[in-house]
Amino acid sequence: MNDNIGFNLDKMDVKLIGGMAHYEMQTNDGPLLLNDLLGKSLKLNFHREIYCTHCNKKTNKSYSGGYCYVCSIKLAECDMCILKPETCHYSLGTCRDPKWGEKNCMTHHYVYLANSSGLKVGITRASQVPTRFIDQGAVRALPIIKVGSRHMSGVFEKLFASEYKDKTDWRKMLKGDQEFIDLQEKRDELFELFGEDLDQLEHQFGEDQVSILEQESEIEIHYPVIAYPEKVSSLSVEKLGIIGGTLKGIKGQYLLFDTGVINIRSHTGYRVHLEF
Ligand SMILES: [Zn+2]
C-alpha cells in the first residue's frame, strides 16, 4: 500500500487471542493487523501535522497526549486527576465533565500487579482488562483488588506504591528479558504487609465497594516479536520525518524496528501515511 492521503495516528488497538497480543492500526484504508507485517518492511511517513484527537483541529503541539491546548484545559480526560487517580475530585462536584466522570471514573476499577519491566502495581478500569496490561507491555498481570471507583483504586495504588513501583521502565520492558516473578506470591506478601490498611480502607469505602481478590489467577501475555533490540534507541519523528525499517516486533504501544523503536501512543494525532 502506498497511499498518500494519510490518517491521524491513534493508539494501537489490542486484543489477546490465545495468550498472544494482536495489534491493529486504524488507517484510512480500515484496520491493519500489524502482526502480519512482522519481518517485513514498514514505513511511517510523518506529515509534520498534528490534529487534536477530540476536536480534530490542527495544533502545533500535542497536549495531554494528543489534544489541542483548548481541549487539554477543558476535557475531563485531560485533567491532572487522570494521572493521579487518588486526587479524583468528582465527589466535590468539581469534575470538568461529570457525565464523562460517571462513565469512566465512577465505575469498577482493578488494582493489579504486573511484570512489565519488573514488578509494578497499577490500576485500570475493569472494562480495560486486558488492554491496559498489553499497552504497558506486561508479560504477566494479576488483578488483586476490585473497587467501585477510580478514586478508590488510586488510594490503594498509592498505598502499595510505597512498596512496589508504579511506573514501567520502557527501555527495560523493550529488551524483553523479564525474569519470572510469581505475582500470586507477591500479592500474598502485599496483603500480609498491608493487612491493617486494607481493613481500614475497606471500612472507609464500604464493604460493598471493595473486593479483595485472593484467588485470582495470572494473565499471561506473549508479544509478536521476532527479535528484541540489544540497545533500545528511540526514533525521533522531529528529526527523521520517516520512521521505519524491518518490523522486528510489537510490545506495549511500541513498534520495534531494526532501526530503533517508536511509541505509537505518544504520537496520537500525528498525520502519517504508511508504506509497506
Ligand atoms: Zn481540540
Side-chain angles (χ1 to χ4, degrees):
M1 184 175 80
N2 190 352
D3 175 346
N4 293 326
I5 303 166
F7 61 95
N8 301 338
L9 273 182
D10 202 349
K11 78 178 272 281
M12 296 180 279
D13 288 333
V14 299
K15 268 191 209 128
L16 190 63
I17 304 171
M20 173 61 77
H22 283 66
Y23 287 89
E24 262 182 16
M25 187 174 270
Q26 300 305 327
T27 75
N28 44 341
D29 265 357
L32 173 69
L33 182 62
L34 293 169
N35 296 49
D36 285 348
L37 294 179
L38 270 192
K40 297 181 181 157
S41 167
L42 171 65
K43 268 186 204 155
L44 289 86
N45 294 266
F46 283 83
H47 295 200
R48 299 184 188 277
E49 288 173 4
I50 307 171
Y51 293 85
C52 174
T53 189
H54 181 77
C55 72
N56 211 29
K57 270 194 196 127
K58 201 172 159 185
T59 173
N60 288 330
K61 218 184 119 184
S62 162
Y63 296 87
S64 292
Y67 299 88
C68 69
Y69 178 71
V70 175
C71 286
S72 79
I73 57 167
K74 238 176 29 190
L75 296 173
E77 55 265 49
C78 300
D79 203 345
M80 265 312 283
C81 48
I82 296 304
L83 293 177
K84 296 183 173 186
E86 75 279 10
T87 64
C88 171
H89 44 96
Y90 178 91
S91 63
L92 301 176
T94 54
C95 182
R96 286 180 177 181
D97 180 355
K99 276 220 167 64
W100 190 91
E102 273 150 39
K103 191 165 166 255
N104 292 280
C105 304
M106 304 308 287
T107 175
H108 283 134
H109 278 64
Y110 285 107
V111 184
Y112 64 86
L113 295 180
N115 182 2
S116 49
S117 55
L119 184 62
K120 68 157 279 180
V121 57
I123 67 147
T124 176
R125 205 156 69 222
S127 60
Q128 288 298 101
V129 170
T131 302
R132 180 82 180 141
F133 306 148
I134 299 172
D135 285 347
Q136 294 187 327
V139 293
R140 279 168 177 270
L142 176 69
I144 59 169
I145 303 178
K146 190 177 184 185
V147 292
S149 74
R150 184 176 174 82
H151 171 251
M152 292 176 208
S153 69
V155 173
F156 279 105
E157 184 189 35
K158 196 147 198 274
L159 173 71
F160 297 149
S162 61
E163 198 64 22
Y164 297 153
K165 284 183 192 142
D166 58 355
K167 300 265 183 317
T168 296
D169 173 347
W170 61 272
R171 285 180 190 276
K172 202 171 164 203
M173 181 273 284
L174 292 180
K175 286 206 160 177
D177 49 2
Q178 275 69 48
E179 56 183 283
F180 175 79
I181 301 171
D182 186 333
L183 297 179
Q184 287 169 321
E185 193 181 295
K186 294 292 173 192
R187 168 197 61 199
D188 296 346
E189 283 174 23
L190 205 64
F191 284 171
E192 205 175 304
L193 191 63
F194 289 102
E196 276 178 34
D197 302 273
L198 294 187
D199 286 348
Q200 195 261 321
L201 286 174
E202 212 175 347
H203 183 73
Q204 182 186 327
F205 294 139
E207 270 172 35
D208 58 331
Q209 295 294 309
V210 179
S211 309
I212 309 288
L213 308 173
E214 287 171 0
Q215 302 296 330
E216 206 76 13
S217 24
E218 294 178 25
I219 297 168
E220 197 177 337
I221 303 164
H222 297 273
Y223 293 89
V225 178
I226 303 168
Y228 283 102
E230 277 172 31
K231 186 173 166 287
V232 178
S233 57
S234 183
L235 299 167
S236 162
V237 168
E238 282 68 30
K239 267 189 223 154
L240 300 167
I242 299 171
I243 302 280
T246 303
L247 185 63
K248 293 290 191 181
I250 317 168
K251 194 177 187 194
Q253 278 288 326
Y254 285 85
L255 295 180
L256 316 180
F257 291 106
D258 56 345
T259 51
V261 308
I262 178 170
N263 182 337
I264 294 300
R265 183 177 212 165
S266 63
H267 293 91
T268 296
Y270 283 57
R271 177 74 51 98
V272 297
H273 69 269
L274 299 182
E275 263 179 69
F276 57 89

